Every structure is written in structure tokens, then in C-alpha cells.
Amino acid sequence: MSSLKSISNYIFNNKELLANEIVNGVVHSIDMEIPPWEQEQAINMYIEFVSFIGEYVVSGEEKIPDSLLEWSKRNAAMVSLDGNLSILVVRYLPTRNVITEILTNLAVQFNLSLHELSKMIIQVNRMLDVSLNETVANYEFLVSEYKKTSQMEIAKVATPVIPVKDGIIVLPLVGRIDTFRIKYLIENSTPKIANMDVNYVIIDFSGVYKIDKVNIRLINEMVQMIRLMGINVIATGVSPDLAKMAIIEGIEISSIVYPNLKIALESIH
């Protein structure tokens, strides 16, 4: 039996022991408190990774196993729960060092040549590099998806359509008004308004603390759409800064403007 095959068999037969050795070595190397449950989770994950090593070092293949890519994706999913990728990335270097030391000791134990040891370490480093890249890429994807979902939920809550009287609804704009929220209004709230028995839509800006000229233009587009449906649009709570920006940009937020919502409602007969 070749030395590489002997090492492979040893790794498969002792993967739990080696996984514990890797985790203990990494924990000892980094200045970070890792709770026991997380260490146990890491051990279970490294049992799988050690199995990949046992298979990969003896195969001599360039292709990274698909199972390793899936393992890296699960890493990303686990990290995305707390949103701190650095917690995982910082462990790759000590992991690399600990595994290199383990492989070197095995090379001595099983009389592996220097060339074979070098090849084995290069293969394992390739695995770690691919795993890290896959983990980071999937982490960024998951964070992006989570951000989209969060934006959607915020948009639903922050842009309600509120009936206040027969034929009158209010669209209160609150907080920082970004493009996502305005487009959500245009794509979701405007069709809803079209299906309601509405004569007046009051857009209340009193809760807005930040908006830029791009989104003022989008609001203007929404106002024009509502007006083309035969519905009157009233603006209330327009701040001096917002009014100044609208004038500079040549945008008419609404042809009817009142200082506040109370006066606007009183003016509608």
C-alpha cells in the first residue's frame, strides 16, 4: 500500500479525532471566546472536511468535490445568521496552519516523501481557498437576499394606504425615503388606490427626515399617475428643505398643498 493511501485510510479512520485536534488548535490560536456549543458544531463540520481531505489527497484530482462546495454553502448560511463574516474568515489561517502541521506529522509517520507532502499540502490549500471563496460568495448572496426581504417588509409597514374618510385616503411618508420604497408605492399602492372608491389622496410628508431629488422626481411621477386616474392629490407637511429642493429641481409635488393633515382634511367638503 502506498504512503498516500495509508494516510488516506488513517484520516478516514480517525476523522473525529483529527476534527477535534483542528478545532482545539484553532481555538488555541485565536484570541476569541468560542462557546462550547459552537465548538461542538465546528467539530461536526470538520469531521466532514477531514473526510474530504482523506478522499482528495489520494485521488490526485484537480477538481474540487461538489460536496465541499455544499459544505462551504452551509458555512455561509450558518454565519449569515449573526451577520458577521469575519468570525469565520479569521479562522481560515489558523485552520490552514493546524492542518499543515497534522499532515506534516502524518508524512513523517508514514514515510511520505517531501514531494508527496508538498503535493498534499498544495491540494489541501486549494480546498481551503475554494471553500473560503465559496463561503464568502454565498454569504454575500444570502445577505443580499435578506436585505431585499427586509426592505420589502419595511416598505409594507412604512408605506400604508390609510382610509380616513369616505373617498379620502392618506399616504404617510415616514423616515428616510429611498428609491425602493417609492417604487414599492408605485408598483403596489397605486394599483390598490385605483381599485378603491377614492376622490382624494393626501400624501403627508411631515414624517420625512431625508429624501433626495431622484426620489422627489419618482414621487412626482406617482402623483401624475394618480391624477391621470381622476383622483385629486394633496400634499401636506412639506418641510422648507423639501420645498426648496422641489423648486430648484422644477418639480411640482402637488398642485394642492396644505401645512398639515388636519387643515387638509378640513378643506375637503
Side-chain angles (χ1 to χ4, degrees):
M1 182 183 297
S2 70
S3 296
L4 277 175
K5 183 62 177 176
S6 297
I7 288 179
S8 177
N9 288 342
Y10 179 89
I11 290 173
F12 275 119
N13 293 331
N14 297 276
K15 53 189 177 183
E16 292 87 358
L17 177 66
L18 294 173
N20 274 277
E21 187 176 344
I22 292 170
V23 171
N24 290 335
V26 171
V27 171
H28 181 74
S29 298
I30 59 178
D31 185 20
M32 184 183 298
E33 191 71 28
I34 300 178
W37 67 265
E38 190 176 343
Q39 292 187 40
E40 185 64 31
Q41 187 179 53
I43 288 170
N44 291 331
M45 295 187 73
Y46 274 111
I47 288 173
E48 287 187 75
F49 189 77
V50 166
S51 298
F52 298 144
I53 294 176
E55 177 184 350
Y56 192 59
V57 296
V58 76
S59 70
E61 294 181 1
E62 293 284 330
K63 184 178 182 295
I64 300 297
D66 291 337
S67 51
L68 174 61
L69 301 181
E70 289 302 317
W71 181 83
S72 302
K73 289 178 182 179
R74 292 202 302 273
N75 262 352
M78 180 185 70
V79 175
S80 69
L81 295 177
D82 62 26
N84 193 348
L85 183 61
S86 63
I87 288 178
L88 189 145
V89 172
V90 75
R91 300 176 189 178
Y92 265 80
L93 179 58
T95 297
R96 202 181 294 264
N97 293 337
V98 171
I99 292 176
T100 298
E101 183 178 354
I102 289 173
L103 294 178
T104 302
N105 291 335
L106 289 176
V108 173
Q109 180 180 341
F110 290 96
N111 298 315
L112 209 64
S113 70
L114 184 60
H115 174 72
E116 289 174 316
L117 172 60
S118 175
K119 183 179 178 181
M120 187 166 59
I121 290 174
I122 288 171
Q123 285 178 303
V124 171
N125 280 334
R126 185 184 296 119
M127 289 173 64
L128 287 168
D129 289 340
V130 170
S131 175
L132 177 58
N133 290 339
E134 191 73 14
T135 299
V136 171
N138 279 277
Y139 171 82
E140 290 176 346
F141 171 78
L142 290 170
V143 168
S144 175
E145 290 299 301
Y146 176 75
K147 184 178 179 181
K148 288 178 185 176
T149 302
S150 298
Q151 283 181 317
M152 184 67 72
E153 293 302 318
I154 291 171
K156 288 179 182 178
V157 173
T159 52
V161 176
I162 305 174
V164 290
K165 287 183 180 180
D166 289 342
I168 305 173
I169 62 172
V170 175
L171 293 179
L173 300 181
V174 180
R176 180 181 179 274
I177 308 302
D178 57 22
T179 302
F180 185 92
R181 284 175 60 184
I182 299 301
K183 287 186 175 180
Y184 179 88
L185 266 174
I186 293 172
E187 294 171 6
N188 295 274
S189 299
T190 304
K192 186 186 297 185
I193 293 169
N195 293 322
M196 300 171 71
D197 184 15
V198 175
N199 297 318
Y200 291 91
V201 172
I202 302 174
I203 303 177
D204 183 40
F205 292 88
S206 58
V208 173
Y209 71 81
K210 187 173 183 180
I211 188 170
D212 60 28
K213 60 185 180 183
V214 172
N215 292 308
I216 290 178
R217 291 188 181 279
L218 287 175
I219 289 174
N220 183 57
E221 289 179 18
M222 181 181 68
V223 169
Q224 300 309 316
M225 288 172 62
I226 296 172
R227 290 166 79 177
L228 285 172
M229 292 188 291
I231 301 172
N232 297 297
V233 180
I234 298 174
T236 62
V238 177
S239 68
D241 289 341
L242 176 56
K244 181 179 178 181
M245 189 184 301
I247 292 171
I248 292 173
E249 296 300 319
I251 299 171
E252 182 184 63
I253 296 175
S254 174
S255 58
I256 309 172
V257 182
Y258 289 101
N260 56 58
L261 185 58
K262 179 176 181 295
I263 295 175
L265 290 171
E266 290 173 348
S267 71
I268 300 172
H269 302 292

